[in-house]
Amino acid sequence: MQRTLQNFCRLPGIALLCAVSLYAQAYPPPVGVPLPDPPQVRSPFVLDAINDPVTGKGAFSFEGHEIPPVIRAAPGNKIQLDYVNRMSSHSREVCVDGPCTNMTNLHFHGLHVSPEAPQDDVLTMMAMPGESLHYTVEIPANQPPGLYWYHTHPHGESYQQSLDGMSGAIVIDGLESYLPELRNMKERVLILRDAELQHDASSALLKNAAQLSRYTCGPATDEPARIFTVNGVVRPKIAIAPGEKQFWRIVNASPDLYADLTIDSEAMTVVAFDGMPLAFHDRSRRTEKRGHVLLAPAGRIEIIVTGPRHGITASLRSLCVDTGPDGDPNPRMALADLDTSASPDTIKSHAQNAAYTRAMYSPLPRRHIADLERAAPAFVVKFTEDKNGFYINDRKYTPADDPMTTVRVGEYVHWRVVNATHEIHPFHIHQVHFLVYKQNEMEIAQKEWMDTVNLDPGESLDLVMDFTDPIIRGVSLFHCHLLKHEDKGMMAKILFQ
């Protein structure tokens, strides 16, 4: 991550803006500079895992730079990459169970792909320092187009590698087929990651720049340990002319910070959640206005943003999130400023795959949903914790575990997820999306398809799990996406057969 910032600050026109920040201790991230766009790549390509030479932290290196690329693909394509572990065999970092070993692999979060090698296999595909992994991920022709992401997933070391910034975005082409007006808009990919706060002058500057609130909205009383960066920058400036419409794709790549997103000037026009277009399951639901949207760690949102009028200042912010009595502070902060001094951007969305032009729809019949809602849950996931660890259904995960549950491919199934703790937890399952339709056994007015959903303390959610895709066979995982909780045992295996 630090080398990423150094490379960014060598770009023409902004070197002076970064000079003071980069001179501070351990090269803290630049503040208030124009939002950098990460590079784009299509298969095949090579991605290296390295240790930053200054900090020793883990990082992704692409074409010699510590800037994780946005992987672009279309439904029916393959993501082909060689993942080379060039990290040191002697890590300077400490993971949840002791010194990190720098083992690593990749998870293609949200994609409806096989959990078996050489695809989205996080159980048997693992590279130790000096080893390589070769991925060929076959994206189905009916993959919903939208924003997904990739990150490392070595059990016991996922939290630290995610905190270091070993993650990137995936864009599956085709969302313009639902909203043709997106073709005329500037597209931006915003990746929210963490900047750690130390007890020094540079951290005080970062807190001030982010307008980190001193007040919390819940009982957590610890000092905040991190703030958000956007594409590696603290509170960047996003150029958008007054009245200009832009298309923003936002992923919360933090291991445990929540982003309750809002924009000062107006409501956001939502197009998709977690890579799933609103219209994919409901042709009549193309967009929806929201004043704020809670993104749990791993959550994504795709929105249309309109530049504020002349004389109006506006920022993208994260509101304060109450994480519960046992949770960590998650205060309000500014993420980015909308810079209306810019002229309308002439660079529009990235070119679309010419062979993919028609929108796909997969409505679930209402009577089918009603039948599932009336049925008792086929499986219950219960999150618990104590001073010794974190559990699902009273079991702490180990790699040697057998699958906790088995599902038959080709069906929709009713699951219930229960948070029996005093802090919030985001539930995530690999390979599939699910429909969130009940909260505390009461029907939700606006049901959403997601792959990661938050549960408040004491809350239960009822889900319709989509296990219908025939290519998803083998052993996969479900877990809490607060990655320190996952590393400490809040994870379980599932067998698709």
Side-chain angles (χ1 to χ4, degrees):
M1 174 61 74
Q2 305 302 332
R3 181 62 61 83
T4 300
L5 303 173
Q6 295 175 60
N7 291 330
F8 167 64
C9 288
R10 294 190 185 106
L11 296 175
I14 62 171
L16 290 177
L17 292 170
C18 292
V20 174
S21 292
L22 289 178
Y23 187 75
Q25 294 182 7
Y27 299 99
V31 176
V33 301
L35 178 78
D37 291 322
Q40 311 273 326
V41 66
R42 291 184 184 269
S43 296
F45 64 99
V46 177
L47 185 69
D48 293 332
I50 65 169
N51 292 112
D52 183 274
V54 176
T55 66
K57 293 182 177 181
F60 285 151
S61 177
F62 173 67
E63 296 184 344
H65 302 286
E66 286 184 31
I67 307 175
V70 176
I71 302 172
R72 300 192 75 100
N77 286 176
K78 296 178 181 179
I79 296 176
Q80 296 175 292
L81 70 104
D82 292 335
Y83 184 47
V84 184
N85 187 350
R86 302 188 187 279
M87 292 193 284
S88 169
S89 57
H90 302 286
S91 175
R92 295 190 230 165
E93 298 189 289
V94 178
C95 289
V96 296
D97 291 323
C100 302
T101 67
N102 282 342
M103 63 179 177
T104 190
N105 60 9
L106 295 175
H107 169 45
F108 301 89
H109 186 116
L111 294 182
H112 299 179
V113 297
S114 171
E116 297 189 329
Q119 302 198 52
D120 191 22
D121 175 10
V122 299
L123 294 170
T124 69
M125 293 184 72
M126 191 71 67
M128 299 303 294
E131 299 177 342
S132 299
L133 298 172
H134 308 284
Y135 288 96
T136 300
V137 181
E138 299 180 6
I139 303 167
N142 63 347
Q143 176 72 48
L147 179 64
Y148 302 88
W149 68 302
Y150 61 99
H151 59 90
T152 62
H153 210 294
H155 180 61
E157 306 195 17
S158 296
Y159 171 82
Q160 189 60 50
Q161 292 185 11
S162 178
L163 182 62
D164 288 349
M166 298 181 74
S167 60
I170 301 172
V171 173
I172 302 300
D173 296 334
L175 196 50
E176 291 81 358
S177 62
Y178 298 89
L179 289 171
E181 56 266 38
L182 295 179
R183 296 191 180 97
N184 299 316
M185 298 179 194
K186 167 69 177 179
E187 175 193 290
R188 296 190 183 276
V189 177
L190 281 63
I191 304 172
L192 308 183
R193 298 192 184 95
D194 301 63
E196 295 185 81
L197 300 173
Q198 309 298 331
H199 297 291
D200 56 31
S202 64
S203 287
L205 291 173
L206 295 181
K207 289 181 181 180
N208 289 336
Q211 294 183 331
L212 189 69
S213 173
R214 294 178 297 168
Y215 306 102
T216 61
C217 50
T221 58
D222 294 339
E223 282 292 316
R226 299 187 301 280
I227 60 172
F228 277 119
T229 64
V230 184
N231 295 358
V233 178
V234 174
R235 201 172 177 178
K237 297 181 185 297
I238 302 179
I240 182 169
E244 178 190 3
K245 293 185 181 297
Q246 294 187 357
F247 178 46
W248 294 5
R249 304 183 192 256
I250 306 174
V251 53
N252 182 359
S254 169
D256 56 9
L257 280 180
Y258 281 76
D260 193 355
L261 300 178
T262 188
I263 296 177
D264 295 336
S265 58
E266 65 169 49
M268 301 172 287
T269 301
V270 178
V271 177
F273 290 106
D274 285 359
M276 182 73 71
L278 299 184
F280 188 80
H281 289 283
D282 184 351
R283 288 172 180 262
S284 65
R285 193 181 175 214
R286 298 172 70 249
T287 64
E288 185 175 283
K289 292 282 189 180
R290 293 284 183 96
H292 70 102
V293 175
L294 178 66
L295 284 192
R300 286 96 63 213
I301 189 172
E302 293 165 89
I303 58 175
I304 297 170
V305 177
T306 303
R309 299 188 306 274
H310 282 289
I312 303 296
T313 59
S315 298
L316 173 68
R317 302 181 187 276
S318 176
L319 303 176
C320 184
V321 178
D322 181 358
T323 60
D326 291 344
D328 298 320
N330 207 121
R332 178 184 176 94
M333 69 185 80
L335 304 183
D337 294 321
L338 280 63
D339 180 7
T340 57
S341 65
S343 299
D345 202 313
T346 57
I347 302 174
K348 305 303 180 185
S349 296
H350 291 268
Q352 297 303 299
N353 187 315
Y356 181 69
T357 58
R358 303 182 69 176
M360 299 178 292
Y361 299 98
S362 182
L364 188 59
R366 292 185 182 277
R367 67 177 183 278
H368 197 157
I369 296 176
D371 289 343
L372 288 166
E373 290 176 348
R374 286 192 295 268
F379 185 67
V380 176
V381 177
K382 185 176 71 172
F383 289 150
T384 57
E385 60 184 80
D386 59 28
K387 63 181 181 180
N388 296 313
F390 295 80
Y391 312 88
I392 291 180
N393 294 356
D394 302 320
R395 286 170 53 181
K396 181 187 290 188
Y397 174 83
T398 70
D401 288 348
D402 291 329
M404 181 176 285
T405 187
T406 299
V407 298
R408 187 168 63 184
V409 175
E411 298 180 339
Y412 293 97
V413 181
H414 175 188
W415 277 25
R416 179 171 293 159
V417 185
V418 179
N419 179 3
T421 78
H422 299 292
E423 64 178 311
I424 56 179
H425 296 281
F427 168 80
H428 169 59
I429 183 169
H430 293 201
Q431 325 308 140
V432 304
H433 279 74
F434 47 79
L435 177 68
V436 185
Y437 72 91
K438 278 187 179 180
Q439 178 184 39
N440 296 328
E441 301 187 45
M442 300 293 291
E443 189 166 349
I444 297 172
Q446 184 57 68
K447 303 174 176 64
E448 301 291 357
W449 287 91
M450 311 176 80
D451 62 42
T452 308
V453 64
N454 186 61
L455 288 96
D456 287 331
E459 183 176 62
S460 70
L461 294 175
D462 285 77
L463 317 174
V464 173
M465 311 298 292
D466 184 355
F467 297 141
T468 60
D469 198 321
I471 69 171
I472 302 172
R473 295 182 186 276
V475 179
S476 191
L477 294 168
F478 56 94
H479 58 86
C480 171
H481 219 287
L482 298 181
L483 294 183
K484 189 172 285 188
H485 296 180
E486 175 214 301
D487 280 347
K488 291 183 176 181
M490 198 171 268
M491 183 160 70
K493 294 178 182 175
I494 176 173
L495 173 62
F496 294 97
Q497 67 177 18

